[in-house]
Amino acid sequence: MKVLVTVKRVIDYNVKVRVNADQTDVDLKNVKMAVNPFCEIAVEQAVRLKEAGKASEIIVVSMGAKAAQEQLRTALAMGADRAIHIESDETLESLSVAKILAKIVAEEAPGLVLMGKQSIDTDNNQTGQMLAALTGLAQGTFVSGVEVGENEVQVVREIDGGLQTLALKLPAVLTVDLRLNEPRYASLPNIMKAKKKPLDVKTPADYGVEVKANTRLLKVTPPPERQAGIKVASVAELVDKLKNEAKVI
Amino acid sequence: MAILLIAEHDNSVLKPATLHALTAAQEIGGEIDILVVGVGCAAAADHASKVAGVRKVLLADNAVYDHEIAENVAALVVDVAAGYDHLIAPAVSNAKNFMPRVAALLDVGQISDVIKVESADTFQRPIYAGNAIATVQSLDTVKVLTIRATGFDAAPAEGGSAGIEVLGQVLDAGVSRLVSEEMAVSDRPELTSARVIISGGRGMGDKAHFDMLDKVADKLGAAVGATRAAVDAGFVPNDMQIGQTGKIVAPELYIGVGLSGAIQHLAGMKDSKVIVAINKDEDAPIFQVADYGLVADLFEAVPELEKAL
Ligand SMILES: Cc1cc2nc3c(=O)[nH]c(=O)nc-3n(C[C@H](O)[C@H](O)[C@H](O)COP(=O)(O)OP(=O)(O)OC[C@H]3O[C@@H](n4cnc5c(N)ncnc54)[C@H](O)[C@@H]3O)c2cc1C
Ligand SMILES: Nc1ncnc2c1ncn2[C@@H]1O[C@H](COP(=O)(O)O)[C@@H](O)[C@H]1O
């Protein structure tokens, strides 16, 4: 079966994000960009399925500005077979991303779609669920375990009170959580090989999807700063402060 | 204007997250109905009917909604959505699972993790792990929102007498089946509603050492939390993780022990009222947000703290 994996280009998770001067967005000039960490885990899972003989071909998709091709190359270097870049300089909100993905799913007919559970820039946690709804495929979110069988896939989900195991009919859409696996680093020879792997460039219009804004971003502001606190010298002083100054115990 | 609030409940009562989301609904303004969906959840619907300011309660009690399977719950919400301007739910793992489906099926967007209501169509939400706050206006006719509990006070759970309307729809997509569930059992308060939380990080070094935190928690009536590193190391189960990808908490008192204060962890706890940090590294970033910092070896400081309480 084919496995379709989505990969989003986002700010590297180590970068300290700052709001820009006119409060229209965060400052993305000259900051390090990377594959969304959850998407990296999705790619790793697909590669492991291929190594285990359960996946035949891995197709990675990214949507956004041209630079997203860097992240597609990273995914190809990790072991994906080919890439599709949906180029757009407009902001693609989750619903538009899901609509385009739904067309790609119809065209490629993957057995499994692996996505990140959340983008670490917008922190939306919704695109996978939207895709599953639009395609009518089974949905497994926040997945930390995957067992692919003949006609179904068993997934372990991280939920509020603990862990839940679901059996989903294939094909299915999975959104992966951090504990599913540890992504590999691409080796230099694989990075070289990835440069020659096929990468198709398309537009939303090629899929007949009209990109629509569901929201308008009015402003972006820094969060309230916390007042700097103090250091206490001993446990006794700490307990005294908590009792008599903060009055929380 | 009418709002449908989809409740988080434990079959007998509404969970606190629902009451926080209710406050958000009240700030949006309009008639508020509460949908209670699940199996064997009539008591939770009774509870919902007693909450002040609710017009009516909708109850869908059927085996197909067991464990709130996303496909089925979303289909039900879409089926009853006509006439509502806002569909809202607390940002808990159940609703995070089904609400984006509702939005997609209605061909509208979802605004996740609302922390402030500015008007009926404009909301604030954290982005970049809470390092920025976005003010967004919905352009959709129906607004689908999830509400972050820490952004709103809990509405009172009494004072109302709404009628309960029993829904007969049985919507089963038949694409997924529950195999098993491993739920953590604990007598402690839930992390998301605890007044005091003590959290351990990688510095705890071992699963057994979390006992030290349990003892302090016993004295303070606290919940025990953890960092991702502590969960990944197998010290504690996943549902104890606090942060960007774990629980979002804002207790009166948060005590962080042997954790460095990575931005992804701060994303889940930096709105706590009072933050205490115990760490042997005086340069640990957690001290930048701590009201009271104690530079010490946790293996000495934590037992001493327990004795002093
Ligand atoms: C996409 C993404 C999402 C993430 N989401 C989360 C999340 O939701 N929650 C989360 O917590 N993390 C999350 N992380 C991980 C995060 O980046 C950090 O790696 C993690 O929080 C570190 O955990 P820690 O503070 O326990 O460990 P460390 O950073 O290793 O810190 C351990 C601390 O313990 C101190 N220490 C050691 N021994 C002692 C001692 N004897 N006495 C006193 N102090 C001691 C050390 O000085 C050190 O400061 C995420 C990461 C990514 C990439
Ligand atoms: N522009 C995009 N390109 C590729 N994948 C995306 C894009 N936006 C979202 N996704 C996928 O959807 C997941 C969830 O994103 P979100 O709903 O934005 O938090 C991400 O981890 C990606 O796998």
Side-chain angles (χ1 to χ4, degrees), chain A residues 6-8 36 38-39 61-64 92 94 97 115-119 122-128:
Chain A
T6 55
V7 169
K8 189 175 179 188
N36 185 43
F38 294 95
C39 301
V61 182
S62 191
M63 306 190 195
L92 294 175
S94 304
V97 172
M115 303 173 67
K117 92 159 175 185
Q118 149 179 2
S119 314
T122 55
D123 281 330
N124 276 329
N125 190 342
Q126 58 192 29
T127 310

Side-chain angles (χ1 to χ4, degrees), chain B residues 76-152:
Chain B
L76 175 76
V77 175
V78 169
D79 204 55
V80 300
Y84 294 106
D85 308 279
H86 295 79
L87 304 172
I88 77 174
V92 294
S93 62
N94 277 326
K96 286 179 184 173
N97 196 26
F98 66 71
M99 282 300 262
R101 297 183 63 91
V102 171
L105 295 170
L106 295 172
D107 197 25
V108 297
Q110 167 174 294
I111 299 180
S112 305
D113 281 305
V114 170
I115 53 167
K116 193 158 187 268
V117 172
E118 290 205 343
S119 72
D121 68 2
T122 302
F123 311 94
Q124 289 186 11
R125 62 179 302 266
I127 53 176
Y128 294 92
N131 285 306
I133 308 294
T135 304
V136 290
Q137 181 179 28
S138 167
L139 304 175
D140 291 317
T141 47
V142 181
K143 279 101 183 130
V144 174
L145 314 172
T146 63
I147 308 294
R148 184 174 282 198
T150 54
F152 301 89

Side-chain angles (χ1 to χ4, degrees), chain A residues 38 99 121 123-124 129 139 141 152 160 163-165 167 179 214 216 218-219 221 226 230 232 245, chain B residues 71 97 101 107 128-129 133 135 137 139 177 179-182 232 241 245 247 270 272 292-293:
Chain A
F38 294 95
K99 284 181 178 175
D121 49 2
D123 281 330
N124 276 329
Q129 296 88 317
Q139 162 179 324
T141 51
E152 43 173 55
D160 281 343
L163 296 171
Q164 178 184 71
T165 305
R179 270 175 284 278
N214 297 100
R216 182 179 296 137
L218 300 182
K219 85 182 167 211
T221 47
R226 278 192 85 92
I230 57 158
V232 290
E245 192 176 85
Chain B
E71 288 84 352
N97 196 26
R101 297 183 63 91
D107 197 25
Y128 294 92
I133 308 294
T135 304
Q137 181 179 28
L139 304 175
R177 171 174 54 85
V179 176
S180 62
E181 224 168 52
E182 252 178 79
D232 285 0
Q241 180 176 317
T245 38
K247 302 245 160 67
K270 72 174 155 53
S272 304
Y292 303 108

Side-chain angles (χ1 to χ4, degrees), chain B residues 3 21-22 31 37 41 86 89 109 137 140 148 179 183-184 186 191 196 200 226 239 241 247 263 278-279 296 301:
Chain B
I3 301 172
L22 179 59
E31 304 280 6
V37 50
C41 53
H86 295 79
Q137 181 179 28
D140 291 317
R148 184 174 282 198
V179 176
M183 302 305 267
S186 163
L191 273 175
V196 179
D239 65 298
Q241 180 176 317
K247 302 245 160 67
I263 42 178
I278 301 176
N279 195 306

